Amino acid sequence: MSSDPHDPAPAAETAPGAHPTPDADAARLIEALADPVELTARLCDIPSVSGDEARLADAVAGVLAHISAGPGPDLDIHRDGDTVVAATRLGRGERIVIAGHLDTVPIEDNVPAERRTLDGAEVIWGRGACDMKAGVAMQLCTAAALRSPERDVTWIFYDHEEVEAELNGLGRVARNHPERLAGDFAILGEPSNAGIEGGCNGTIRIEVTTEGVRAHSARAFTGVNAIHRAADILTRLAEHTPDTVTVDGLEYRESLSAVGIHGGVAGNVIPDACTVVVNYRFAPDKSAADAEAHLAAFFAPHPIRVTDSAEGARPGLDQPAARAFIDAIGGEPQAKLGWTDVARFSALGIPAVNFGPGSPLFAHKADEHVPCAEVESASADLLRFLEPARSAPEAPAR
């Protein structure tokens, strides 16, 4: 464990070389380290809605301490709030960073997790199943199975991914301890149907405003209706054909959409202002500044105001570690059309991909679930990439 002054004090003093007894949550997770499917279910059973990740972070820290004490490589473990970072120090020539978030969106009567059969396939059904406790299970099971990886590995389990960006645990570590994120290649365990999704689109939200002249609606001819003027903005959006942009061999489909509109004063008043909220998802060949300039030109002469933006991430699939990962996983990498935290690694100069079990189409939904077969295959593939000489441990019969 780290002696960093930012790390919380241990729950109890232990003798040198001794390891604290895991708490009940950690002990229950440790029992399932050979079975990523069962581990997924047990992780789902520990509620961790954004802002309430401490219990799960404590359990994960306990599991990592257990793994570090085992036959695999020692882990240098640090804690920053409810983010836990564990790194091997084997002196390998490359370092792989593998990250997953602990938090979920609010529960919808879908905890505890259940095993169900959908269309003939067994799934884990529950909040966080695909987004992304199956990815966390993949990380922990692989960390437990490693003995002598070809590359050093940094495991990151972070908080507050599902809420405001300024609260994001990965971003907080990047600000407080950027050296803990250092690596040659990063893998984010976001659901990707157990395939590789490279980089991500950037996103920017703007307000486009029209102005008019307020008047009594009985004498509308004396005013200028700002809502009517917004028709020009909506027409441009409706007639726009989004681009598909190829970046590093992957095709990123852009989108430009009205996501909100507000205006009006009262039922008998001609409005003097109307605002259309627009979201632009742009390919990672552009910066956020490029996207803003594009939108300013697209909507001119209407003024725009940026309310939120996040850079995209190039996939970096030409990097040696990325190519090795593609070879180990197989299949054709796809572009990530949404925004994910791979962009935080890209901002640090680390190429990153999304790779995890489950479909993003079921994230945040009441019927959130993950196919058991994908949890098993993703865990086996990740282990094969990190340590080709080893295979995944045989899971208990279910």
Side-chain angles (χ1 to χ4, degrees), residues 84-119:
V84 186
V85 181
T88 66
R89 303 293 179 190
L90 300 172
R92 304 293 197 245
E94 289 183 314
R95 178 170 293 278
I96 306 300
V97 183
I98 305 174
H101 64 82
L102 299 175
D103 62 321
T104 72
V105 296
I107 294 167
E108 297 180 78
D109 296 323
N110 50 3
V111 169
E114 300 177 12
R115 292 178 184 268
R116 296 189 181 183
T117 300
L118 293 180
D119 299 325

PDB file of all heavy atoms in Angstrom, residues 84-119:
ATOM      1  N   VAL A  84      -9.173   3.997  -6.750  1.00  0.00           N
ATOM      2  CA  VAL A  84      -8.106   3.102  -6.316  1.00  0.00           C
ATOM      3  C   VAL A  84      -7.217   2.795  -7.519  1.00  0.00           C
ATOM      4  O   VAL A  84      -7.716   2.424  -8.586  1.00  0.00           O
ATOM      5  CB  VAL A  84      -8.670   1.784  -5.743  1.00  0.00           C
ATOM      6  CG1 VAL A  84      -7.541   0.938  -5.162  1.00  0.00           C
ATOM      7  CG2 VAL A  84      -9.730   2.063  -4.682  1.00  0.00           C
ATOM      8  N   VAL A  85      -5.911   2.972  -7.341  1.00  0.00           N
ATOM      9  CA  VAL A  85      -4.935   2.713  -8.400  1.00  0.00           C
ATOM     10  C   VAL A  85      -3.954   1.662  -7.894  1.00  0.00           C
ATOM     11  O   VAL A  85      -3.413   1.790  -6.792  1.00  0.00           O
ATOM     12  CB  VAL A  85      -4.172   3.992  -8.787  1.00  0.00           C
ATOM     13  CG1 VAL A  85      -3.174   3.698  -9.915  1.00  0.00           C
ATOM     14  CG2 VAL A  85      -5.139   5.096  -9.207  1.00  0.00           C
ATOM     15  N   ALA A  86      -3.736   0.630  -8.698  1.00  0.00           N
ATOM     16  CA  ALA A  86      -2.811  -0.445  -8.317  1.00  0.00           C
ATOM     17  C   ALA A  86      -1.901  -0.744  -9.498  1.00  0.00           C
ATOM     18  O   ALA A  86      -2.381  -1.007 -10.605  1.00  0.00           O
ATOM     19  CB  ALA A  86      -3.585  -1.696  -7.911  1.00  0.00           C
ATOM     20  N   ALA A  87      -0.589  -0.702  -9.275  1.00  0.00           N
ATOM     21  CA  ALA A  87       0.359  -0.839 -10.381  1.00  0.00           C
ATOM     22  C   ALA A  87       1.430  -1.871 -10.069  1.00  0.00           C
ATOM     23  O   ALA A  87       1.932  -1.957  -8.943  1.00  0.00           O
ATOM     24  CB  ALA A  87       1.017   0.506 -10.666  1.00  0.00           C
ATOM     25  N   THR A  88       1.781  -2.669 -11.079  1.00  0.00           N
ATOM     26  CA  THR A  88       2.943  -3.546 -10.976  1.00  0.00           C
ATOM     27  C   THR A  88       4.206  -2.719 -11.202  1.00  0.00           C
ATOM     28  O   THR A  88       4.175  -1.689 -11.882  1.00  0.00           O
ATOM     29  CB  THR A  88       2.886  -4.683 -11.999  1.00  0.00           C
ATOM     30  OG1 THR A  88       2.982  -4.137 -13.325  1.00  0.00           O
ATOM     31  CG2 THR A  88       1.594  -5.477 -11.877  1.00  0.00           C
ATOM     32  N   ARG A  89       5.313  -3.168 -10.642  1.00  0.00           N
ATOM     33  CA  ARG A  89       6.608  -2.493 -10.809  1.00  0.00           C
ATOM     34  C   ARG A  89       7.648  -3.536 -11.206  1.00  0.00           C
ATOM     35  O   ARG A  89       8.597  -3.805 -10.494  1.00  0.00           O
ATOM     36  CB  ARG A  89       7.019  -1.786  -9.508  1.00  0.00           C
ATOM     37  CG  ARG A  89       6.020  -0.781  -8.987  1.00  0.00           C
ATOM     38  CD  ARG A  89       5.871   0.417  -9.889  1.00  0.00           C
ATOM     39  NE  ARG A  89       4.878   1.376  -9.396  1.00  0.00           N
ATOM     40  CZ  ARG A  89       4.430   2.413 -10.083  1.00  0.00           C
ATOM     41  NH1 ARG A  89       4.886   2.620 -11.330  1.00  0.00           N
ATOM     42  NH2 ARG A  89       3.530   3.224  -9.572  1.00  0.00           N
ATOM     43  N   LEU A  90       7.468  -4.125 -12.385  1.00  0.00           N
ATOM     44  CA  LEU A  90       8.315  -5.217 -12.838  1.00  0.00           C
ATOM     45  C   LEU A  90       9.451  -4.757 -13.739  1.00  0.00           C
ATOM     46  O   LEU A  90      10.288  -5.567 -14.145  1.00  0.00           O
ATOM     47  CB  LEU A  90       7.463  -6.255 -13.586  1.00  0.00           C
ATOM     48  CG  LEU A  90       6.336  -6.903 -12.753  1.00  0.00           C
ATOM     49  CD1 LEU A  90       5.443  -7.749 -13.649  1.00  0.00           C
ATOM     50  CD2 LEU A  90       6.919  -7.727 -11.622  1.00  0.00           C
ATOM     51  N   GLY A  91       9.480  -3.481 -14.080  1.00  0.00           N
ATOM     52  CA  GLY A  91      10.538  -2.967 -14.940  1.00  0.00           C
ATOM     53  C   GLY A  91      10.409  -3.373 -16.388  1.00  0.00           C
ATOM     54  O   GLY A  91      11.398  -3.409 -17.124  1.00  0.00           O
ATOM     55  N   ARG A  92       9.180  -3.679 -16.832  1.00  0.00           N
ATOM     56  CA  ARG A  92       8.976  -4.046 -18.231  1.00  0.00           C
ATOM     57  C   ARG A  92       9.175  -2.826 -19.138  1.00  0.00           C
ATOM     58  O   ARG A  92       9.138  -1.683 -18.693  1.00  0.00           O
ATOM     59  CB  ARG A  92       7.572  -4.609 -18.444  1.00  0.00           C
ATOM     60  CG  ARG A  92       7.241  -5.802 -17.562  1.00  0.00           C
ATOM     61  CD  ARG A  92       8.063  -7.024 -17.915  1.00  0.00           C
ATOM     62  NE  ARG A  92       7.487  -8.242 -17.377  1.00  0.00           N
ATOM     63  CZ  ARG A  92       8.052  -9.009 -16.459  1.00  0.00           C
ATOM     64  NH1 ARG A  92       9.232  -8.658 -15.959  1.00  0.00           N
ATOM     65  NH2 ARG A  92       7.459 -10.110 -16.032  1.00  0.00           N
ATOM     66  N   GLY A  93       9.321  -3.078 -20.433  1.00  0.00           N
ATOM     67  CA  GLY A  93       9.569  -1.996 -21.369  1.00  0.00           C
ATOM     68  C   GLY A  93       8.368  -1.142 -21.687  1.00  0.00           C
ATOM     69  O   GLY A  93       8.513  -0.014 -22.182  1.00  0.00           O
ATOM     70  N   GLU A  94       7.152  -1.648 -21.429  1.00  0.00           N
ATOM     71  CA  GLU A  94       5.930  -0.897 -21.695  1.00  0.00           C
ATOM     72  C   GLU A  94       4.992  -1.034 -20.505  1.00  0.00           C
ATOM     73  O   GLU A  94       5.085  -1.990 -19.732  1.00  0.00           O
ATOM     74  CB  GLU A  94       5.209  -1.427 -22.953  1.00  0.00           C
ATOM     75  CG  GLU A  94       5.903  -1.111 -24.256  1.00  0.00           C
ATOM     76  CD  GLU A  94       5.103  -1.609 -25.454  1.00  0.00           C
ATOM     77  OE1 GLU A  94       4.642  -2.769 -25.414  1.00  0.00           O
ATOM     78  OE2 GLU A  94       4.940  -0.842 -26.409  1.00  0.00           O
ATOM     79  N   ARG A  95       4.086  -0.062 -20.394  1.00  0.00           N
ATOM     80  CA  ARG A  95       3.063  -0.108 -19.349  1.00  0.00           C
ATOM     81  C   ARG A  95       1.686   0.054 -19.981  1.00  0.00           C
ATOM     82  O   ARG A  95       1.466   0.959 -20.789  1.00  0.00           O
ATOM     83  CB  ARG A  95       3.282   0.986 -18.303  1.00  0.00           C
ATOM     84  CG  ARG A  95       2.189   1.008 -17.213  1.00  0.00           C
ATOM     85  CD  ARG A  95       2.547   1.930 -16.066  1.00  0.00           C
ATOM     86  NE  ARG A  95       3.704   1.433 -15.321  1.00  0.00           N
ATOM     87  CZ  ARG A  95       3.638   0.505 -14.387  1.00  0.00           C
ATOM     88  NH1 ARG A  95       2.466  -0.055 -14.047  1.00  0.00           N
ATOM     89  NH2 ARG A  95       4.735   0.112 -13.761  1.00  0.00           N
ATOM     90  N   ILE A  96       0.766  -0.827 -19.570  1.00  0.00           N
ATOM     91  CA  ILE A  96      -0.619  -0.778 -20.014  1.00  0.00           C
ATOM     92  C   ILE A  96      -1.473  -0.263 -18.851  1.00  0.00           C
ATOM     93  O   ILE A  96      -1.354  -0.769 -17.726  1.00  0.00           O
ATOM     94  CB  ILE A  96      -1.124  -2.174 -20.448  1.00  0.00           C
ATOM     95  CG1 ILE A  96      -0.183  -2.777 -21.500  1.00  0.00           C
ATOM     96  CG2 ILE A  96      -2.548  -2.081 -20.977  1.00  0.00           C
ATOM     97  CD1 ILE A  96      -0.045  -1.981 -22.760  1.00  0.00           C
ATOM     98  N   VAL A  97      -2.325   0.714 -19.114  1.00  0.00           N
ATOM     99  CA  VAL A  97      -3.243   1.240 -18.105  1.00  0.00           C
ATOM    100  C   VAL A  97      -4.636   0.704 -18.418  1.00  0.00           C
ATOM    101  O   VAL A  97      -5.119   0.860 -19.545  1.00  0.00           O
ATOM    102  CB  VAL A  97      -3.250   2.775 -18.100  1.00  0.00           C
ATOM    103  CG1 VAL A  97      -4.156   3.303 -16.993  1.00  0.00           C
ATOM    104  CG2 VAL A  97      -1.836   3.325 -17.936  1.00  0.00           C
ATOM    105  N   ILE A  98      -5.278   0.082 -17.439  1.00  0.00           N
ATOM    106  CA  ILE A  98      -6.604  -0.505 -17.644  1.00  0.00           C
ATOM    107  C   ILE A  98      -7.533   0.086 -16.589  1.00  0.00           C
ATOM    108  O   ILE A  98      -7.313  -0.087 -15.385  1.00  0.00           O
ATOM    109  CB  ILE A  98      -6.561  -2.039 -17.546  1.00  0.00           C
ATOM    110  CG1 ILE A  98      -5.510  -2.590 -18.527  1.00  0.00           C
ATOM    111  CG2 ILE A  98      -7.934  -2.640 -17.833  1.00  0.00           C
ATOM    112  CD1 ILE A  98      -5.282  -4.073 -18.429  1.00  0.00           C
ATOM    113  N   ALA A  99      -8.555   0.803 -17.038  1.00  0.00           N
ATOM    114  CA  ALA A  99      -9.385   1.590 -16.123  1.00  0.00           C
ATOM    115  C   ALA A  99     -10.855   1.227 -16.256  1.00  0.00           C
ATOM    116  O   ALA A  99     -11.335   0.868 -17.336  1.00  0.00           O
ATOM    117  CB  ALA A  99      -9.200   3.087 -16.397  1.00  0.00           C
ATOM    118  N   GLY A 100     -11.560   1.344 -15.138  1.00  0.00           N
ATOM    119  CA  GLY A 100     -13.000   1.130 -15.120  1.00  0.00           C
ATOM    120  C   GLY A 100     -13.633   1.931 -14.005  1.00  0.00           C
ATOM    121  O   GLY A 100     -13.026   2.120 -12.950  1.00  0.00           O
ATOM    122  N   HIS A 101     -14.841   2.427 -14.229  1.00  0.00           N
ATOM    123  CA  HIS A 101     -15.497   3.232 -13.191  1.00  0.00           C
ATOM    124  C   HIS A 101     -16.378   2.367 -12.307  1.00  0.00           C
ATOM    125  O   HIS A 101     -16.977   1.370 -12.743  1.00  0.00           O
ATOM    126  CB  HIS A 101     -16.268   4.406 -13.795  1.00  0.00           C
ATOM    127  CG  HIS A 101     -17.425   4.051 -14.677  1.00  0.00           C
ATOM    128  ND1 HIS A 101     -18.666   3.737 -14.179  1.00  0.00           N
ATOM    129  CD2 HIS A 101     -17.545   3.996 -16.025  1.00  0.00           C
ATOM    130  CE1 HIS A 101     -19.499   3.500 -15.183  1.00  0.00           C
ATOM    131  NE2 HIS A 101     -18.837   3.638 -16.314  1.00  0.00           N
ATOM    132  N   LEU A 102     -16.445   2.766 -11.038  1.00  0.00           N
ATOM    133  CA  LEU A 102     -17.192   2.020 -10.026  1.00  0.00           C
ATOM    134  C   LEU A 102     -18.638   2.449  -9.912  1.00  0.00           C
ATOM    135  O   LEU A 102     -19.469   1.698  -9.392  1.00  0.00           O
ATOM    136  CB  LEU A 102     -16.518   2.196  -8.655  1.00  0.00           C
ATOM    137  CG  LEU A 102     -15.073   1.704  -8.538  1.00  0.00           C
ATOM    138  CD1 LEU A 102     -14.516   2.065  -7.168  1.00  0.00           C
ATOM    139  CD2 LEU A 102     -14.988   0.199  -8.765  1.00  0.00           C
ATOM    140  N   ASP A 103     -18.955   3.663 -10.333  1.00  0.00           N
ATOM    141  CA  ASP A 103     -20.291   4.199 -10.075  1.00  0.00           C
ATOM    142  C   ASP A 103     -21.295   3.800 -11.147  1.00  0.00           C
ATOM    143  O   ASP A 103     -20.936   3.384 -12.258  1.00  0.00           O
ATOM    144  CB  ASP A 103     -20.260   5.723  -9.938  1.00  0.00           C
ATOM    145  CG  ASP A 103     -19.794   6.425 -11.206  1.00  0.00           C
ATOM    146  OD1 ASP A 103     -18.874   5.907 -11.868  1.00  0.00           O
ATOM    147  OD2 ASP A 103     -20.333   7.503 -11.524  1.00  0.00           O
ATOM    148  N   THR A 104     -22.569   3.900 -10.779  1.00  0.00           N
ATOM    149  CA  THR A 104     -23.677   3.630 -11.699  1.00  0.00           C
ATOM    150  C   THR A 104     -24.667   4.785 -11.644  1.00  0.00           C
ATOM    151  O   THR A 104     -24.603   5.641 -10.759  1.00  0.00           O
ATOM    152  CB  THR A 104     -24.434   2.340 -11.328  1.00  0.00           C
ATOM    153  OG1 THR A 104     -25.207   2.575 -10.132  1.00  0.00           O
ATOM    154  CG2 THR A 104     -23.484   1.178 -11.092  1.00  0.00           C
ATOM    155  N   VAL A 105     -25.583   4.795 -12.593  1.00  0.00           N
ATOM    156  CA  VAL A 105     -26.721   5.702 -12.510  1.00  0.00           C
ATOM    157  C   VAL A 105     -27.679   5.142 -11.456  1.00  0.00           C
ATOM    158  O   VAL A 105     -27.506   4.018 -10.969  1.00  0.00           O
ATOM    159  CB  VAL A 105     -27.412   5.849 -13.880  1.00  0.00           C
ATOM    160  CG1 VAL A 105     -26.467   6.490 -14.881  1.00  0.00           C
ATOM    161  CG2 VAL A 105     -27.914   4.504 -14.399  1.00  0.00           C
ATOM    162  N   PRO A 106     -28.719   5.907 -11.071  1.00  0.00           N
ATOM    163  CA  PRO A 106     -29.615   5.436 -10.001  1.00  0.00           C
ATOM    164  C   PRO A 106     -30.268   4.082 -10.292  1.00  0.00           C
ATOM    165  O   PRO A 106     -30.528   3.716 -11.441  1.00  0.00           O
ATOM    166  CB  PRO A 106     -30.660   6.552  -9.917  1.00  0.00           C
ATOM    167  CG  PRO A 106     -29.910   7.783 -10.314  1.00  0.00           C
ATOM    168  CD  PRO A 106     -28.992   7.322 -11.422  1.00  0.00           C
ATOM    169  N   ILE A 107     -30.508   3.354  -9.233  1.00  0.00           N
ATOM    170  CA  ILE A 107     -31.112   2.016  -9.285  1.00  0.00           C
ATOM    171  C   ILE A 107     -32.600   2.123  -9.631  1.00  0.00           C
ATOM    172  O   ILE A 107     -33.286   3.046  -9.195  1.00  0.00           O
ATOM    173  CB  ILE A 107     -30.916   1.309  -7.933  1.00  0.00           C
ATOM    174  CG1 ILE A 107     -29.416   1.041  -7.713  1.00  0.00           C
ATOM    175  CG2 ILE A 107     -31.712   0.026  -7.830  1.00  0.00           C
ATOM    176  CD1 ILE A 107     -29.069   0.633  -6.301  1.00  0.00           C
ATOM    177  N   GLU A 108     -33.095   1.191 -10.444  1.00  0.00           N
ATOM    178  CA  GLU A 108     -34.507   1.130 -10.834  1.00  0.00           C
ATOM    179  C   GLU A 108     -35.077  -0.246 -10.490  1.00  0.00           C
ATOM    180  O   GLU A 108     -35.490  -0.992 -11.379  1.00  0.00           O
ATOM    181  CB  GLU A 108     -34.669   1.404 -12.332  1.00  0.00           C
ATOM    182  CG  GLU A 108     -34.245   2.781 -12.791  1.00  0.00           C
ATOM    183  CD  GLU A 108     -34.447   2.953 -14.280  1.00  0.00           C
ATOM    184  OE1 GLU A 108     -35.598   3.174 -14.715  1.00  0.00           O
ATOM    185  OE2 GLU A 108     -33.448   2.851 -15.023  1.00  0.00           O
ATOM    186  N   ASP A 109     -35.097  -0.591  -9.221  1.00  0.00           N
ATOM    187  CA  ASP A 109     -35.564  -1.910  -8.802  1.00  0.00           C
ATOM    188  C   ASP A 109     -34.818  -3.025  -9.518  1.00  0.00           C
ATOM    189  O   ASP A 109     -35.373  -4.093  -9.796  1.00  0.00           O
ATOM    190  CB  ASP A 109     -37.082  -2.049  -9.045  1.00  0.00           C
ATOM    191  CG  ASP A 109     -37.891  -1.088  -8.194  1.00  0.00           C
ATOM    192  OD1 ASP A 109     -37.492  -0.850  -7.033  1.00  0.00           O
ATOM    193  OD2 ASP A 109     -38.905  -0.571  -8.682  1.00  0.00           O
ATOM    194  N   ASN A 110     -33.532  -2.783  -9.838  1.00  0.00           N
ATOM    195  CA  ASN A 110     -32.749  -3.815 -10.527  1.00  0.00           C
ATOM    196  C   ASN A 110     -31.465  -4.159  -9.763  1.00  0.00           C
ATOM    197  O   ASN A 110     -30.437  -4.457 -10.358  1.00  0.00           O
ATOM    198  CB  ASN A 110     -32.455  -3.420 -11.975  1.00  0.00           C
ATOM    199  CG  ASN A 110     -31.872  -2.015 -12.114  1.00  0.00           C
ATOM    200  OD1 ASN A 110     -31.628  -1.320 -11.125  1.00  0.00           O
ATOM    201  ND2 ASN A 110     -31.658  -1.593 -13.346  1.00  0.00           N
ATOM    202  N   VAL A 111     -31.536  -4.097  -8.455  1.00  0.00           N
ATOM    203  CA  VAL A 111     -30.512  -4.613  -7.533  1.00  0.00           C
ATOM    204  C   VAL A 111     -31.266  -5.324  -6.421  1.00  0.00           C
ATOM    205  O   VAL A 111     -32.266  -4.775  -5.920  1.00  0.00           O
ATOM    206  CB  VAL A 111     -29.631  -3.472  -6.961  1.00  0.00           C
ATOM    207  CG1 VAL A 111     -28.763  -3.984  -5.818  1.00  0.00           C
ATOM    208  CG2 VAL A 111     -28.743  -2.869  -8.061  1.00  0.00           C
ATOM    209  N   PRO A 112     -30.879  -6.534  -6.026  1.00  0.00           N
ATOM    210  CA  PRO A 112     -29.698  -7.277  -6.443  1.00  0.00           C
ATOM    211  C   PRO A 112     -29.801  -7.830  -7.859  1.00  0.00           C
ATOM    212  O   PRO A 112     -30.897  -7.889  -8.441  1.00  0.00           O
ATOM    213  CB  PRO A 112     -29.619  -8.409  -5.412  1.00  0.00           C
ATOM    214  CG  PRO A 112     -31.042  -8.634  -5.000  1.00  0.00           C
ATOM    215  CD  PRO A 112     -31.663  -7.253  -4.988  1.00  0.00           C
ATOM    216  N   ALA A 113     -28.652  -8.238  -8.386  1.00  0.00           N
ATOM    217  CA  ALA A 113     -28.600  -8.779  -9.741  1.00  0.00           C
ATOM    218  C   ALA A 113     -29.287 -10.136  -9.808  1.00  0.00           C
ATOM    219  O   ALA A 113     -29.418 -10.842  -8.810  1.00  0.00           O
ATOM    220  CB  ALA A 113     -27.147  -8.902 -10.186  1.00  0.00           C
ATOM    221  N   GLU A 114     -29.725 -10.467 -11.013  1.00  0.00           N
ATOM    222  CA  GLU A 114     -30.368 -11.760 -11.252  1.00  0.00           C
ATOM    223  C   GLU A 114     -29.727 -12.437 -12.456  1.00  0.00           C
ATOM    224  O   GLU A 114     -29.260 -11.765 -13.378  1.00  0.00           O
ATOM    225  CB  GLU A 114     -31.861 -11.585 -11.544  1.00  0.00           C
ATOM    226  CG  GLU A 114     -32.662 -10.929 -10.438  1.00  0.00           C
ATOM    227  CD  GLU A 114     -34.112 -10.726 -10.847  1.00  0.00           C
ATOM    228  OE1 GLU A 114     -34.523 -11.301 -11.880  1.00  0.00           O
ATOM    229  OE2 GLU A 114     -34.823  -9.984 -10.155  1.00  0.00           O
ATOM    230  N   ARG A 115     -29.725 -13.755 -12.447  1.00  0.00           N
ATOM    231  CA  ARG A 115     -29.370 -14.524 -13.645  1.00  0.00           C
ATOM    232  C   ARG A 115     -30.651 -14.798 -14.413  1.00  0.00           C
ATOM    233  O   ARG A 115     -31.615 -15.314 -13.863  1.00  0.00           O
ATOM    234  CB  ARG A 115     -28.677 -15.828 -13.272  1.00  0.00           C
ATOM    235  CG  ARG A 115     -27.300 -15.635 -12.656  1.00  0.00           C
ATOM    236  CD  ARG A 115     -26.705 -16.987 -12.261  1.00  0.00           C
ATOM    237  NE  ARG A 115     -25.436 -16.824 -11.582  1.00  0.00           N
ATOM    238  CZ  ARG A 115     -24.246 -16.828 -12.179  1.00  0.00           C
ATOM    239  NH1 ARG A 115     -24.193 -16.998 -13.493  1.00  0.00           N
ATOM    240  NH2 ARG A 115     -23.140 -16.673 -11.485  1.00  0.00           N
ATOM    241  N   ARG A 116     -30.658 -14.417 -15.669  1.00  0.00           N
ATOM    242  CA  ARG A 116     -31.832 -14.639 -16.507  1.00  0.00           C
ATOM    243  C   ARG A 116     -31.390 -15.234 -17.838  1.00  0.00           C
ATOM    244  O   ARG A 116     -30.209 -15.214 -18.189  1.00  0.00           O
ATOM    245  CB  ARG A 116     -32.579 -13.325 -16.764  1.00  0.00           C
ATOM    246  CG  ARG A 116     -33.165 -12.674 -15.514  1.00  0.00           C
ATOM    247  CD  ARG A 116     -34.078 -11.508 -15.884  1.00  0.00           C
ATOM    248  NE  ARG A 116     -34.630 -10.851 -14.704  1.00  0.00           N
ATOM    249  CZ  ARG A 116     -35.509  -9.846 -14.764  1.00  0.00           C
ATOM    250  NH1 ARG A 116     -35.932  -9.405 -15.942  1.00  0.00           N
ATOM    251  NH2 ARG A 116     -35.968  -9.295 -13.654  1.00  0.00           N
ATOM    252  N   THR A 117     -32.367 -15.742 -18.570  1.00  0.00           N
ATOM    253  CA  THR A 117     -32.122 -16.236 -19.918  1.00  0.00           C
ATOM    254  C   THR A 117     -32.878 -15.357 -20.896  1.00  0.00           C
ATOM    255  O   THR A 117     -34.107 -15.210 -20.795  1.00  0.00           O
ATOM    256  CB  THR A 117     -32.563 -17.699 -20.070  1.00  0.00           C
ATOM    257  OG1 THR A 117     -31.826 -18.510 -19.135  1.00  0.00           O
ATOM    258  CG2 THR A 117     -32.297 -18.193 -21.486  1.00  0.00           C
ATOM    259  N   LEU A 118     -32.163 -14.740 -21.822  1.00  0.00           N
ATOM    260  CA  LEU A 118     -32.761 -13.897 -22.853  1.00  0.00           C
ATOM    261  C   LEU A 118     -32.379 -14.449 -24.216  1.00  0.00           C
ATOM    262  O   LEU A 118     -31.188 -14.577 -24.530  1.00  0.00           O
ATOM    263  CB  LEU A 118     -32.265 -12.450 -22.735  1.00  0.00           C
ATOM    264  CG  LEU A 118     -32.679 -11.648 -21.499  1.00  0.00           C
ATOM    265  CD1 LEU A 118     -32.079 -10.245 -21.570  1.00  0.00           C
ATOM    266  CD2 LEU A 118     -34.202 -11.565 -21.391  1.00  0.00           C
ATOM    267  N   ASP A 119     -33.388 -14.765 -25.013  1.00  0.00           N
ATOM    268  CA  ASP A 119     -33.151 -15.294 -26.358  1.00  0.00           C
ATOM    269  C   ASP A 119     -32.171 -16.474 -26.330  1.00  0.00           C
ATOM    270  O   ASP A 119     -31.294 -16.604 -27.190  1.00  0.00           O
ATOM    271  CB  ASP A 119     -32.616 -14.194 -27.282  1.00  0.00           C
ATOM    272  CG  ASP A 119     -33.592 -13.041 -27.437  1.00  0.00           C
ATOM    273  OD1 ASP A 119     -34.817 -13.291 -27.452  1.00  0.00           O
ATOM    274  OD2 ASP A 119     -33.137 -11.880 -27.515  1.00  0.00           O
TER     275      ASP A 119
END
